[in-house]
Amino acid sequence: MDNHTQTLRYPAPKLGIALSSSAQLYLMPAEIVSGPFAAGLLSADRAVPLAQFGHAFSSVHMAARTRDSLNAYHLNVKEARGLHDTADEILSALQAPLPIFAGMDMNVPIVMGIVNATPDSFSNQGEHYAAEDAIAAALSMVEAGARIIDVGGESTRPGAEIVPVDEEIRRIEPVVRALANKGICVSIDTRNAATMAFAVSCGARIINDVTALTGDADAMRVVASCDAGVILMHMQGEPQTMQHSPDYAFAPFDVFDYLRERVAACEAAGIDRSRLCVDPGIGFGKTMDHNLSIMRWLGIYRGLGLPVLLGVSRKSLIQHVCGDIPPQQRVPGSLALAVQGVRSGANIVRVHDVPETVQALRMVQAVQETE
């Protein structure tokens, strides 16, 4: 496909939609209900289960993309079934139970707390740079309800400088060891194979790679040789240049295609699907419009049949929408995006503000489960 912007068309509803054999299909669950409402619709055969938090859905937004067109349709589930082999595959993936990821059941929202062992984090200006401070912050997050702690030794903010691998390892070692020794699920946020291997040897259970195992030629081998979970994130470009005119035909679908290819590459390398999680990479080589569009279509990534991680905490998207607000004052926007993300299909939310996020998600869940 030529790299040109595509615009969604919404043709008038009609029976017997004719789809080109070359069309790429994308399905997003719609009319999602939960709790007693979901149970009622399921028993009446008016909805199908969504493999997430006891939700169900009765219709889908379906987009069909070819080289020259991009059309979207709203269909009930019965209309979507049998329409196309790909549509049936995605519907099956949306309903199938998610695999246990890094020892955790994905049927409840998971909060991942961010601990940056770096002096140049965009959000906390090195607040947790010292190892003892990072460890204390992580323990506080776990006490507040974080199930995963994501430890990073190299900032990937726009324009960040590359950190030598030995320095990255020096920064993360005491933090990863201390937390893993306490039985905490540690994720290592790195794009370097040597750091991945070292962190896993220290007890890290998850590798979180912003390059989806493409940034280091040895990364795939390291991951295939261990049993850690892997988060594959989409990023266009490099952190140093990724915000220099990012370009997509249609961002949500371009990102979906990329993640699907990376999942296939991992499987080909012998990495079991049950070890994989995907992240659309909000803010990584994307404009405000790209990010908002991905948030709008977030549910399509569940069609990969894997857990979805969403990282939106304190990001500049909030500033672009709400005005010139420094990172530490973007908590309300972060909470709104986290709640919207979980409602749309995210299983894990990566956040700086753990107590606030846990509280918000618990309140939403309590309302959804009530008669």
Side-chain angles (χ1 to χ4, degrees):
M1 174 182 289
D2 292 333
N3 195 17
H4 63 280
T5 300
Q6 290 186 312
T7 302
L8 276 173
R9 292 180 60 254
Y10 292 87
K14 61 182 179 180
L15 296 176
I17 296 171
L19 296 174
S20 166
S21 60
S22 63
Q24 293 283 346
L25 296 190
Y26 309 87
L27 270 68
M28 180 171 71
E31 298 183 80
I32 299 172
V33 293
S34 55
F37 292 165
L41 289 179
L42 289 169
S43 65
D45 196 28
R46 293 173 55 193
V48 295
L50 176 62
Q52 178 187 28
F53 317 150
H55 292 171
F57 64 104
S58 56
S59 64
V60 295
H61 295 301
M62 183 188 77
R65 177 159 80 161
T66 67
R67 181 184 180 88
D68 302 312
S69 66
L70 182 56
N71 294 325
Y73 310 87
H74 185 82
L75 307 169
N76 65 47
V77 171
K78 291 182 179 179
E79 290 172 331
R81 282 196 187 115
L83 189 62
H84 192 283
D85 288 346
T86 301
D88 290 342
E89 290 173 7
I90 296 175
L91 283 170
S92 295
L94 290 170
Q95 297 175 65
L98 287 172
I100 299 295
F101 178 70
M104 287 174 289
D105 184 354
M106 292 290 106
N107 202 39
V108 294
I110 302 292
V111 173
M112 170 191 276
I114 301 168
V115 171
N116 292 310
T118 64
D120 57 348
S121 166
F122 89 94
S123 67
N124 61 17
Q125 299 174 329
E127 180 181 329
H128 301 148
Y129 182 49
E132 58 270 25
D133 294 332
I135 294 166
L139 295 177
S140 177
M141 290 177 179
V142 171
E143 185 176 359
R147 299 279 304 282
I148 307 169
I149 297 297
D150 194 42
V151 179
E154 178 187 42
S155 175
T156 51
R157 63 180 172 78
E161 294 296 323
I162 295 174
V163 174
V165 173
D166 57 350
E167 171 62 13
E168 182 186 26
I169 289 174
R170 186 194 68 78
R171 292 176 181 181
I172 62 96
E173 176 181 9
V175 183
V176 173
R177 284 193 189 279
L179 299 180
N181 286 342
K182 292 181 179 294
I184 294 168
C185 181
V186 177
S187 167
I188 180 64
D189 179 4
T190 184
R191 51 185 171 164
N192 296 311
T195 309
M196 295 174 190
F198 184 83
V200 170
S201 74
C202 293
R205 297 188 218 166
I206 299 171
I207 294 166
N208 181 12
D209 184 4
V210 298
T211 74
L213 304 184
T214 66
D216 187 318
D218 208 27
M220 193 72 80
R221 182 197 63 78
V222 166
V223 171
S225 67
C226 72
D227 60 0
V230 186
I231 299 168
L232 305 171
M233 197 196 80
H234 174 275
M235 174 174 62
Q236 188 178 98
E238 296 288 332
Q240 293 75 30
T241 60
M242 64 186 177
Q243 292 308 110
H244 296 175
S245 302
D247 188 27
Y248 299 86
F250 190 70
F253 303 162
D254 291 0
V255 171
F256 180 95
D257 292 346
Y258 173 86
L259 292 173
R260 179 173 53 192
E261 291 170 0
R262 294 311 301 155
V263 169
C266 287
E267 289 186 287
I271 301 168
D272 193 87
R273 286 181 67 87
S274 65
R275 295 173 54 197
L276 304 178
C277 174
V278 295
D279 176 356
I282 295 292
F284 284 80
K286 301 168 182 76
T287 66
M288 179 189 73
D289 288 341
H290 296 148
N291 290 319
L292 290 174
S293 188
I294 289 168
M295 286 295 303
R296 181 67 167 165
W297 284 89
L298 191 65
I300 65 171
Y301 303 106
R302 285 298 311 281
L304 293 169
L306 299 171
V308 175
L309 181 144
L310 179 67
V312 288
S313 181
R314 300 187 185 180
K315 289 194 172 176
S316 60
L317 168 62
I318 299 165
Q319 179 184 29
H320 291 320
V321 172
C322 301
D324 190 11
I325 305 169
Q328 293 86 349
Q329 295 178 23
R330 298 174 193 168
V331 178
S334 300
L335 295 179
L337 290 171
V339 169
Q340 174 66 26
V342 168
R343 182 65 177 165
S344 298
N347 302 93
I348 306 170
V349 286
R350 181 179 182 272
V351 304
H352 301 86
D353 306 292
V354 171
E356 295 85 348
T357 305
V358 169
Q359 185 179 119
L361 293 178
R362 283 179 179 169
M363 286 308 306
V364 170
Q365 187 173 12
V367 171
Q368 292 175 344
E369 293 175 351
T370 300
E371 291 281 359

